[in-house]
Amino acid sequence: MKRGVRFYGLMAEFDDPQKLLEAAKAARREGYRRMEAYTPFAIEEVSEELGHGRGWIPYIVFAGGLGGAVIGLGMQWYAMAIAYPLNIGGRPLWSWPAFMPITFELAVLGAALLGALGMLALNRLPQPYHPVFNVERFDLATQNRFFLCIEASDPYFDRKQTREFLMSTEPREVFDVEDR
């Protein structure tokens, strides 16, 4: 390796999603845990094999919706009961049923905004650089190829044995992934 270049891991290229799924299952059986798949479309079974759970997004969206509803209701209560109270026809200053449409709209807005921002943060996006971008054929991951990368930080990673393991899964090719 060249000076200033760190080894990130090994990446195997596959022609179809079924081979990628079989390789991910085999890697999991071998004990590898620090690995990632790159595909042109989502493959739920591969996500499950890589150990990706449900995640935090549903909780983030719920918190955004709840926060938006509280802000919407609070804003209307403040305006109608505190800042600009009008007694029209003996009605109460604050009647909650009248404020539900705005409360609902702000709940949806809060959920959508916090969900989008949370998704970006959890996926560490935008990410203008990642070591896998150094693999020459990686641009095919958005077109018609499927890649499985086992990171060097994995406790079971041994460069020679991991390369042999990946070759046993019958990939199109196995690449070294260097972090420049």
Side-chain angles (χ1 to χ4, degrees):
M1 282 194 305
K2 299 173 192 162
R3 186 180 175 133
V5 175
R6 245 186 45 209
F7 186 70
Y8 180 78
L10 290 170
M11 180 182 284
E13 175 186 356
F14 299 95
D15 288 324
D16 64 75
Q18 191 58 38
K19 285 186 178 181
L20 173 68
L21 178 60
E22 291 167 5
K25 285 180 180 180
R28 191 104 170 135
R29 278 193 307 271
E30 288 289 318
Y32 295 107
R33 296 294 179 262
R34 304 256 338 178
M35 56 185 167
E36 191 61 60
Y38 303 94
T39 64
F41 51 85
I43 305 171
E44 191 171 327
E45 296 87 5
V46 172
S47 261
E48 291 170 4
E49 282 302 321
L50 295 177
H52 297 177
R54 183 172 173 150
W56 286 93
I57 292 292
Y59 303 111
I60 292 171
V61 170
F62 178 75
L66 189 61
V70 167
I71 288 170
L73 201 56
M75 177 180 63
Q76 293 174 91
W77 169 78
Y78 176 77
M80 297 304 290
I82 306 294
Y84 196 62
L86 292 175
N87 187 354
I88 299 173
R91 294 188 181 120
L93 294 176
W94 189 73
S95 178
W96 68 269
F99 302 136
M100 284 301 107
I102 301 283
T103 302
F104 174 76
E105 291 299 326
L106 284 178
V108 171
L109 178 66
L113 285 177
L114 206 57
L117 293 174
M119 182 269 310
L120 290 172
L122 290 174
N123 289 325
R124 291 180 242 131
L125 293 174
Q127 189 173 21
Y129 172 78
H130 192 280
V132 297
F133 298 159
N134 294 325
V135 175
E136 189 175 316
R137 295 178 52 84
F138 185 70
D139 61 336
L140 295 174
T142 61
Q143 297 170 22
N144 61 355
R145 293 287 189 273
F146 304 86
F147 292 88
L148 179 67
C149 181
I150 299 178
E151 298 175 13
S153 60
D154 191 282
Y156 287 102
F157 187 87
D158 176 71
R159 196 170 184 168
K160 184 179 179 202
Q161 289 176 346
T162 303
R163 181 177 289 282
E164 289 172 3
F165 164 73
L166 286 173
M167 291 302 288
S168 73
T169 62
E170 300 175 6
R172 183 178 260 260
E173 196 170 344
V174 175
F175 304 98
D176 288 345
V177 180
E178 297 174 347
D179 190 1
R180 299 176 190 165

